[in-house]
């Protein structure tokens, strides 16, 4: 008997419970084309876990995440959490570090029927290194990479290692090799950060030699931002260190129509976490107005990563159909529907496609 596909659902804060439940309904609607049955478990993180367990991400959640096939992570209000010593840890950063999720795969594409700020149709991907760079909460073995040696001086350590650079480069090139354009742009600032970005470029250049069919280009991060705004169609797969990738992926998603349409998958050698690109939006929580598309597309990516290609293709196609018309879109996209009604429409499209 085939083992079930086990997913851990962490609802998070704000609109997290609404969009996680909407996403699970869409996944269940795809049941006929799934190779395995879905088995889900929910655990609390964020403020709910802090109140019940004294931590925004208890150790039991980390252990559960290590034991399942994939994690669905709802958005969290980590900027509002108390200090770390009082239990206020960022669940996203903790999971990335503990599960060794070295890659953050962030697509940005325009959709038929929706106006995009770029005014051009494009389909690109940012492959962002996920475990080091300027991110102070995950680039040290112990302690924090940001510190104040005296009251008026604040310092931050940027960490770039050969292993992490090779890992994200290889993930990016493998992805580019599977796409029609077969083109990689490596983003850096080696003219200023000669040692750290110098090492990063050394690694990407060495991996490029393993993929002769993939075109290779290097671009300064400020130039990459300018060219994204001017003409995003010139890019296919961008590979970047952590902070540069975070900034550029948000820019690309906004140019494509907004973070509410942007999926995101964190993955490593053994684990994967689906996570919407946007935040927890506590101001609209519980009002049935949240748009679940970003998390739906993130879980579509997770299913694809886990070998459920038919279900992923069906969910992605159904999202495309739903976004074509104002009558089947949420109100933030100049549509007419709330969260529940949109979820019903999307589930129906998925079910019809699965017959």
């Amino acid at each position: 008997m085939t083992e079930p596909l086990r997913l851990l659902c962490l609802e998070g804060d704000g609109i997290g419970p609404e969009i996680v439940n909407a996403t699970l309904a869409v996944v269940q609607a795809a049941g006929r084309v799934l190779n395995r049955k879905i088995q889900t478990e929910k655990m609390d993180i964020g403020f709910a876990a802090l109140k019940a367990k004294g931590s925004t991400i208890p150790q039991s959640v980390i252990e559960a995440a290590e034991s399942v096939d994939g994690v669905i992570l709802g958005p969290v209000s980590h900027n509002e959490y108390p200090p770390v010593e009082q239990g206020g840890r960022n669940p996203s950063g903790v999971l990335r570090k503990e599960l060794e999720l070295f890659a953050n795969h962030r697509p940005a594409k325009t959709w038929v029927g929706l106006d995009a700020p770029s005014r051009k149709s494009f389909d690109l991907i940012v492959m962002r290194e996920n475990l080091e760079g300027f991110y102070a909460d995950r680039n040290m073995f112990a302690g924090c990479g940001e510190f104040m040696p005296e009251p008026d001086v604040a310092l931050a350590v940027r960490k770039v290692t050969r292993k992490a650079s090779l890992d994200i480069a290889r993930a990016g090139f493998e992805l580019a090799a599977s796409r029609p354009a077969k083109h990689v742009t490596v983003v850096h600032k080696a003219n200023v950060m000669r040692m750290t970005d110098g090492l990063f470029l050394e690694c990407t250049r060495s991996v490029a030699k393993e993929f002769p069919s993939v075109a290779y280009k290097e671009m300064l991060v400020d130039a990459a931002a300018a060219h994204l705004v001017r003409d995003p169609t010139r890019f296919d797969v961008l590979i970047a260190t952590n902070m540069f990738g975070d900034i550029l992926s948000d820019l690309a998603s906004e140019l494509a129509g907004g973070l509410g349409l942007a999926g995101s998958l964190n993955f490593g050698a053994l684990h994967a976490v689906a996570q919407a690109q946007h935040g927890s939006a506590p101001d609209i929580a519980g009002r049935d107005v949240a748009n679940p598309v970003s998390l739906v597309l993130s879980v579509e990516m997770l299913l694809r990563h886990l070998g459920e290609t038919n279900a992923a293709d069906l969910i992605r196609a159904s999202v495309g159909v739903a976004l074509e018309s104002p009558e089947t879109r949420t109100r933030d996209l100049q549509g007419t529907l709330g969260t529940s009604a949109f979820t019903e429409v999307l589930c129906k499209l998925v079910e019809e496609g699965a017959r």
Side-chain angles (χ1 to χ4, degrees):
M1 185 176 177
T2 304
E3 291 291 323
L5 189 64
R6 296 176 301 145
L7 301 177
L8 177 65
C9 303
L10 308 174
E11 294 181 339
D13 303 309
I15 62 172
E18 296 169 80
I19 64 172
V20 167
N21 288 325
T23 299
L24 287 177
V26 174
V27 172
Q28 294 295 341
R32 289 191 180 186
V33 296
L34 286 165
N35 297 318
R36 293 174 281 173
K37 290 185 177 180
I38 298 288
Q39 184 179 91
T40 61
E41 177 186 2
K42 287 185 178 181
M43 297 183 75
D44 285 336
I45 58 169
F47 283 117
L50 182 66
K51 182 178 181 180
K53 301 288 182 66
S55 171
T56 52
I57 179 164
Q59 183 61 31
S60 58
V61 172
I62 299 171
E63 292 171 359
E66 292 173 334
S67 70
V68 296
D69 297 299
V71 177
I72 301 174
L73 176 62
V76 293
S77 302
H78 63 91
N79 284 337
E80 306 302 322
Y81 292 166
V84 171
E85 57 270 20
Q86 296 176 25
R89 305 171 73 194
N90 179 1
S92 174
V94 170
L95 287 175
R96 292 178 187 191
K97 187 172 181 177
E98 294 292 332
L99 302 183
E100 298 182 10
L101 307 174
F102 66 82
N104 187 195
H105 175 173
R106 289 190 166 191
K109 72 178 296 294
T110 52
W111 295 87
V112 174
L114 286 178
D115 293 330
S118 71
R119 299 184 181 179
K120 294 185 177 183
S121 297
F122 67 91
D123 181 354
L124 64 83
I125 292 169
V126 176
M127 288 297 285
R128 166 193 173 197
E129 196 287 316
N130 221 13
L131 295 178
E132 46 187 45
F134 274 123
Y135 277 71
D137 64 339
R138 69 202 71 160
N139 67 5
M140 306 288 280
F141 171 73
C144 181
E146 191 174 44
F147 51 95
M148 294 182 71
E150 56 183 82
D152 298 323
V153 178
L155 302 175
V157 174
R158 183 183 194 229
K159 174 184 173 184
V160 175
T161 66
R162 188 176 302 278
K163 181 182 185 306
S165 299
L166 289 171
D167 284 345
I168 194 61
R170 189 158 287 110
F173 272 92
E174 288 174 352
L175 181 63
S178 70
R179 288 166 60 84
K182 292 181 170 49
H183 185 271
V184 158
T185 302
V186 174
V187 179
H188 67 95
K189 194 65 175 175
N191 59 330
V192 176
M193 293 179 283
R194 297 182 182 277
M195 294 181 68
T196 49
D197 270 345
L199 175 59
F200 185 68
L201 288 178
E202 178 186 332
C203 293
T204 59
R205 289 166 185 167
S206 68
V207 173
K209 295 176 182 178
E210 303 172 19
F211 295 85
S213 66
V214 177
Y216 177 78
K217 185 177 180 66
E218 296 170 0
M219 188 175 292
L220 293 172
V221 62
D222 42 346
H227 285 299
L228 267 173
V229 172
R230 181 182 294 271
D231 183 15
T233 65
R234 69 181 294 162
F235 296 106
D236 181 31
V237 175
L238 295 92
I239 300 175
T241 51
N242 204 336
M243 186 167 288
F244 292 165
D246 192 6
I247 295 168
L248 291 179
S249 61
D250 278 9
L251 172 60
S253 293
E254 284 297 326
L255 290 170
L259 295 181
L261 301 172
S264 175
L265 181 69
N266 305 283
F267 68 87
L270 300 176
H271 306 285
V273 175
Q275 178 183 13
Q277 281 197 35
H278 58 72
S280 60
D283 57 319
I284 62 170
R287 293 169 49 190
D288 193 44
V289 296
N291 179 357
V293 166
S294 180
L295 189 60
V296 169
L297 291 175
S298 301
V299 173
E300 172 258 311
M301 295 170 67
L302 175 61
L303 292 174
R304 194 178 303 278
H305 183 78
L306 296 174
E308 295 288 351
T309 306
N310 291 337
D313 287 345
L314 175 57
I315 291 171
R316 188 176 185 80
S318 298
V319 168
V321 173
L323 293 179
E324 284 184 16
S325 170
E327 288 73 29
T328 52
R329 295 200 298 255
T330 47
R331 287 188 283 275
D332 60 303
L333 299 174
Q334 293 75 54
T336 61
L337 305 180
T339 310
S340 300
F342 175 79
T343 303
E344 290 178 9
V345 167
L346 190 53
C347 287
K348 184 177 180 180
L349 287 168
V350 171
E351 289 168 353
E352 290 173 348
R355 288 174 187 160

